[in-house]
CSV table of all heavy atoms in Angstrom, one decimal:
chain,number,residue,atom,x,y,z
N,6,GLU,N,16.5,65.6,-30.6
N,6,GLU,CA,17.6,66.0,-29.8
N,6,GLU,C,18.0,67.4,-30.0
N,6,GLU,O,18.3,68.1,-29.0
N,6,GLU,CB,18.8,65.0,-30.1
N,6,GLU,CG,19.9,65.3,-29.1
N,6,GLU,CD,21.1,64.4,-29.4
N,6,GLU,OE1,21.1,63.6,-30.4
N,6,GLU,OE2,22.1,64.5,-28.6
N,20,PRO,N,26.7,70.5,-40.7
N,20,PRO,CA,27.3,69.2,-40.8
N,20,PRO,C,28.8,69.2,-41.1
N,20,PRO,O,29.5,68.2,-40.8
N,20,PRO,CB,26.4,68.5,-41.8
N,20,PRO,CG,25.8,69.6,-42.6
N,20,PRO,CD,25.6,70.7,-41.6
N,26,TRP,N,37.1,70.1,-29.2
N,26,TRP,CA,36.8,70.3,-27.8
N,26,TRP,C,36.3,71.8,-27.6
N,26,TRP,O,35.4,72.0,-26.8
N,26,TRP,CB,38.0,70.0,-26.9
N,26,TRP,CG,39.1,71.0,-27.1
N,26,TRP,CD1,40.2,70.9,-27.9
N,26,TRP,CD2,39.3,72.2,-26.4
N,26,TRP,NE1,41.0,72.0,-27.8
N,26,TRP,CE2,40.5,72.8,-26.9
N,26,TRP,CE3,38.6,72.9,-25.4
N,26,TRP,CZ2,41.0,74.0,-26.4
N,26,TRP,CZ3,39.1,74.1,-25.0
N,26,TRP,CH2,40.2,74.7,-25.4
N,40,VAL,N,19.8,77.5,-19.8
N,40,VAL,CA,19.1,76.9,-18.6
N,40,VAL,C,19.0,77.9,-17.5
N,40,VAL,O,17.9,78.1,-16.9
N,40,VAL,CB,19.9,75.6,-18.2
N,40,VAL,CG1,19.3,75.1,-16.9
N,40,VAL,CG2,19.7,74.6,-19.3
N,47,ARG,N,19.4,85.4,-14.5
N,47,ARG,CA,20.0,86.5,-15.1
N,47,ARG,C,21.5,86.3,-15.4
N,47,ARG,O,22.4,87.0,-14.9
N,47,ARG,CB,19.8,87.8,-14.3
N,47,ARG,CG,18.3,88.1,-14.2
N,47,ARG,CD,18.1,89.4,-13.4
N,47,ARG,NE,18.9,90.5,-14.0
N,47,ARG,CZ,18.4,91.6,-14.5
N,47,ARG,NH1,17.1,91.8,-14.4
N,47,ARG,NH2,19.2,92.5,-15.0
Side-chain angles (χ1 to χ4, degrees):
E6 186 180 4
W26 68 269
V40 169
R47 300 181 54 120

